[in-house]
Structure formats: structure tokens, C-alpha cells
Amino acid sequence: MKYQKGNLVPHKSALLVSPANVLNEDVCLPAAVIKKSALENNIEWMQRYADTRGVSLAPHGKTTMTPWIFQQQQRAGAWAVGVGSAWQASIAMVSGLKRVLMVNQLVGKANMQLISALKNEYQDVDYLCCVDSLANAKTLSAFFSSQNQQLDILIELGVPGGRCGCRTTAQALLLAEEISGLPGLHLRGLELYEGVLHGENPQPKVEALLRDAAGLACQLDRYVEGEFILTGAGSVWYDVVCNAWLEAQKPANCRVVIRPGCYITHDAGIYQQAQDDLMARDRVACDLGGDLISALELVAMVQSVPESGRAIVNFGKRDSAFDAGLPQPVAHYRQGKALPLTAKSIKTTGIMDQHAMLELAPEADVQVEDILVFSTSHPCLTFDKWKALLLVDENYNVLETLETAF
């Protein structure tokens, strides 16, 4: 099982010359670019945060699905990489990851066969997935025991109205007891995702869920041999997860694992706001020094200025996330030279499949063939639109092409 690079169809961000500079139009635009210095900062900052708190980091790989980035995270000290599907797990293993947390249920014959094949080929890789029902546990047990294999699993704790997971601690305890009698399964701990809790002030609900999980972990401990893995925390509440679980009574040999993902490139939208809130409430993050930096940008060209106060840029829904706010311009270039840009002079107001509509203030000087650089919100849904992204330096020189594997 090998990750095959696509070589029949050029990437959207195909290089026209080498060495290439994005601002000199040496690449096809629009292009998604990642600032190397910001990326390295974010990898180092989050790893330092986890190390300072005394927890393990398993960044969620679904954000980028970029093997090169997985490898940088592991090299920096990540304990594992989190994924959401059997396919994503295969990419992580082929990429050289030593531990893969599939934070989801493993269902379906073909998916089980894929994981079984991966376990045979990558015997030194630690793979875990989640269960939340006896029906799934029995199916997994029958399949993997018939292959003379052992599947490591975590029980998932959920919330009413949420997605997967046992709805009560009593259900989780009963499931653990049933699993203890099934061949081919090895219970390793407990998983949850607190990010499904929303509302005007979700923090109390998040903290209550975390307390329940810590108490449940103590009760589940008798079913787990060796280290007990207790894992949660997306990109919004990782400080609250650390606070709650590090203070709570837990199994004696407990590894707390946090799983933020979007920190890798951060953004200038919803995750910037989440990080601002975290920095305001978390002394550890403030004392750490530095912060996360938005690293992912979309570089595009003005293709039309059809009327006064309006410009059209050559990117759209096929190129960028738009679910959590429209990409907004942060830099303006003409023939490679920077032009002044203020937040009020140019604003993105609409987006279609291949077009973005800009509202121009009277003082805005925007011409056809100008280059605009846009910040984005919610990096997951920009990454998954690109077969390749460009790693660039501060001057937009292309350093490397990073292939994705969605």
C-alpha cells in the first residue's frame, strides 16, 4: 500500500518556472500558500504548550491531510496524529507516522480489511479507533480475531444531541464490561470531543463533560491493562481540557492527550477569535511567550473591474473556505510591488464557484491584473480544495510544493 502522487494532471498551483515567485506570476493563480516561518512557529508553539502542561499532543491530521506536515509535527514531538477515517489512517501510516488515533468508529467490511492490511504491513505502528456500541464491538471482534489480530480501541463518550459516543457513563461502563469478554479487542482508554457543545456560553457544559469523563476513566481503569489513554480537545478548548483533567482524579497510569488540528496554519477568523479567548483565560499560554500566527493565504488576481466600486477576483468556492466568513484581502501587489491597503478600502462581499466579488471604497486603486493576498477562516475547508499547496518564504518565493491526500 503506497501513497501515489498524481502525475497525470497538473495541480492548480502548477509552477511555470523554477525558481518561482508567486508575486511575479510564476505560478498559476489562484494559489493556496503557506508561510514557512508561520508554520514552523505554530508547530513549535503548540508542542511547547503540550510539553509545558505535561500532556501528549496528537494533532488532528484531517485539517491538512498533508504528509509533509504530518512528518514535521512528529519530528517536533507529536505523540500521535489523529484522523477520522480508515483512508486517512492509511495516509498517516504510509507517511511514516508511528501512532495513529482514528477518532471515529471503524465500520464496514472494506474499511476493516484496509486496517487489517495496514496492521500487517506496518506492524510497528500503534493504531487505535473508537467504539460506542456493542454491535460495532462484536463485528470488530469477529473480524479481527478471525485474522489473528488484536485491535486497540477507545470507548467514545458523547452527549445527547451530539454525534457518536455513549450517551451516559452507565452505557460506557456496560460496553466496557461486554468488550472485556470479546476476543480480538484491546481496550486502551476513553475518548471524547467537547467541540460538539455549543451555545452562548458552552464552557460550563464542557467542564461538566470533562469531569464526568475523568470519573468514568477511573471506573474503566479495571478494564485497561497498562497505560490508560484519556483524550479530547479540539482547537477551541484545549486549555480547558488540560485544566480539568490535570486537576481531576484519574487512573494512576493515565496519559492525557489533546488533539487540536487547526492551529497548524491557524487563521484570521474563527480560530483567531478562539485563540484570543484562550489567551485571555489561560495563564500558561500567556506565560509561554509568542502565539499562533495565520500561515495559510490565498493569492489571486483581479480579473475584472466592471463598474465603479466593484472588482472581481479569480477565486471562488472551489478554492477557499467560505462557511465561517469570506476570505478578506490583507495585501495588494501590482507588478510585484506592494501597494497600500486598509481594512476599509477593499472588502470581499460575495463568492461564487470561481468568482469573488469585492466592494471598493472610493480611494481604492484596484486594477485588472493586480494581485491580492487573502486571509481565510476555517483552514480545514481550504486545504481540502487543493491537491497541492505552496510553501513560501516571507517574499513569496516558492520553497516546496506540499501535496495533499484527501
Side-chain angles (χ1 to χ4, degrees), residues 207-271:
E207 292 172 334
L209 174 64
L210 297 170
R211 288 192 298 269
D212 289 345
L216 174 59
C218 292
Q219 294 177 283
L220 291 174
D221 190 30
R222 65 181 182 270
Y223 299 109
V224 176
E225 295 181 6
E227 179 181 76
F228 190 104
I229 296 170
L230 180 59
T231 178
S235 299
V236 174
W237 300 108
Y238 58 87
D239 65 314
V240 173
V241 171
C242 289
N243 292 339
W245 282 350
L246 293 176
E247 294 171 2
Q249 183 178 352
K250 303 179 293 298
N253 189 16
C254 184
R255 180 186 294 273
V256 174
V257 181
I258 60 173
R259 307 190 313 273
C262 291
Y263 79 90
I264 187 65
T265 58
H266 198 45
D267 70 8
I270 55 174
Y271 289 108

Side-chain angles (χ1 to χ4, degrees), residues 41 121 201 203 227 279 293 303 361:
N41 170 83
E121 185 167 353
N201 180 24
Q203 185 169 340
E227 179 181 76
M279 295 296 278
I293 303 172
Q303 68 184 72

Side-chain angles (χ1 to χ4, degrees), residues 333-383:
Y333 294 89
R334 181 174 299 154
Q335 296 179 350
K337 295 182 179 180
L339 299 178
L341 175 68
T342 65
K344 294 182 179 179
S345 63
I346 308 175
K347 181 180 180 181
T348 309
T349 56
I351 190 169
M352 299 177 72
D353 281 3
Q354 305 291 172
H355 302 83
M357 280 64 76
L358 305 184
E359 181 181 280
L360 309 179
E363 70 274 11
D365 175 21
V366 174
Q367 299 179 14
V368 172
E369 298 182 358
D370 283 358
I371 288 178
L372 291 170
V373 179
F374 292 80
S375 65
T376 64
S377 181
H378 196 185
C380 295
L381 297 187
T382 295
F383 268 96

Side-chain angles (χ1 to χ4, degrees), residues 160-347:
R163 54 190 198 190
C164 303
C166 298
R167 289 324 197 224
T168 67
T169 57
Q171 289 176 358
L173 280 169
L174 181 59
L175 179 58
E177 183 176 353
E178 297 281 1
I179 288 172
S180 66
L182 295 177
L185 300 183
H186 179 210
L187 184 59
R188 297 275 298 276
L190 179 66
E191 181 274 337
L192 59 78
Y193 175 56
E194 74 294 336
V196 296
L197 293 168
H198 301 289
E200 187 174 342
N201 180 24
Q203 185 169 340
K205 293 186 289 185
V206 169
E207 292 172 334
L209 174 64
L210 297 170
R211 288 192 298 269
D212 289 345
L216 174 59
C218 292
Q219 294 177 283
L220 291 174
D221 190 30
R222 65 181 182 270
Y223 299 109
V224 176
E225 295 181 6
E227 179 181 76
F228 190 104
I229 296 170
L230 180 59
T231 178
S235 299
V236 174
W237 300 108
Y238 58 87
D239 65 314
V240 173
V241 171
C242 289
N243 292 339
W245 282 350
L246 293 176
E247 294 171 2
Q249 183 178 352
K250 303 179 293 298
N253 189 16
C254 184
R255 180 186 294 273
V256 174
V257 181
I258 60 173
R259 307 190 313 273
C262 291
Y263 79 90
I264 187 65
T265 58
H266 198 45
D267 70 8
I270 55 174
Y271 289 108
Q272 180 61 60
Q273 182 59 57
Q275 184 71 0
D276 288 344
D277 293 343
L278 183 146
M279 295 296 278
R281 66 179 180 248
D282 186 18
R283 177 87 180 260
V284 175
C286 292
D287 291 345
L288 203 59
D291 201 351
L292 299 176
I293 303 172
S294 181
L296 177 62
E297 296 176 342
L298 191 68
V299 184
M301 297 192 74
V302 177
Q303 68 184 72
S304 179
V305 184
E307 61 189 69
S308 176
R310 187 175 181 85
I312 310 301
V313 184
N314 69 336
F315 79 87
K317 295 179 180 180
R318 306 290 185 178
D319 308 298
S320 176
F322 55 91
D323 64 311
L326 296 177
Q328 295 297 333
V330 294
H332 183 187
Y333 294 89
R334 181 174 299 154
Q335 296 179 350
K337 295 182 179 180
L339 299 178
L341 175 68
T342 65
K344 294 182 179 179
S345 63
I346 308 175
K347 181 180 180 181

